[in-house]
Amino acid sequence: MEQEIDLLQLWEILKKRWVIVIVIPLIAALTSGVISFFVLKPVYEASTTLIVGKKAADDAAQQAGALLDYNVLMANKQLAKTYGAIAKSRTVEQKVIDKLNIPLTTEELDEKIKVDPVQDTEVLQIAVQDYDPGLAAKIANATAEEFSEMVIDVKKVDSVSIIDKAVPPAHPVKPNKKLNVLIAFAVGLMAAVGLAFLLEFLDNTVKDENDVEELLGLPVLGIIPLYNGDE
């Protein structure tokens, strides 16, 4: 019963501060929508996937039965991480800059490129994010080409095969406008509810007979209704 009364009290507080509870989330959602739709520039991501051919020594070892398939797979996964570091090396990135003649430093280009091995495979994915979808695809393809030449020269692998070339994406990956608006509304709602309870806590005025009993520690014997002298 006490819990029910408490819930009713909470509901009364929210009803009393309904303007705050409604207006703040709407303002937060509207602000987020304006920023997401009209201020933030859309970012596009283009990606290419490739696979590095085995070294001749590895082929011979497999033919001789010296290595188990599982061990080969684990070794290739470790190599994929090594190849990822090569793809994001300063040398490769500088060659991409020179090849495409783009006004970027290697540090700036490095922030746009992400190289990850595809889970449970020997495949590498090179993803590039940029405001220009066409440039993102060009950088991804140029990085794959320059990486292929370097890894063949450095690691002495047989070849590097490009599985999928990057193409200009049709839709941006961020900002996620709808998600931003929903998050802003939820955060605004929580802030509004918290503010409503804070204002109620700070309000020390006497509002009803319960406040009188709590303040004076005495029971209320009667209530005098509001009297309008004109009636």
Side-chain angles (χ1 to χ4, degrees), residues 24 35 46 70 72 83-84 88 90 121 143 148 151 171 186 198 223:
I24 290 182
I35 294 175
Y70 177 79
V72 173
Y83 296 147
K88 284 177 64 69
R90 187 172 61 254
T121 70
T143 302
S148 299
V151 79
H171 304 287
L198 177 62
I223 299 174

Side-chain angles (χ1 to χ4, degrees), residues 88-98 101-113 130 139:
K88 284 177 64 69
S89 65
R90 187 172 61 254
T91 301
V92 169
E93 290 174 344
Q94 186 60 55
K95 288 183 177 180
V96 172
I97 292 173
D98 295 339
N101 192 26
I102 49 180
L104 295 174
T105 64
T106 54
E107 290 79 10
E108 292 171 336
L109 180 60
D110 189 74
E111 293 179 358
K112 296 177 179 290
I113 300 174
D130 194 85
I139 293 176

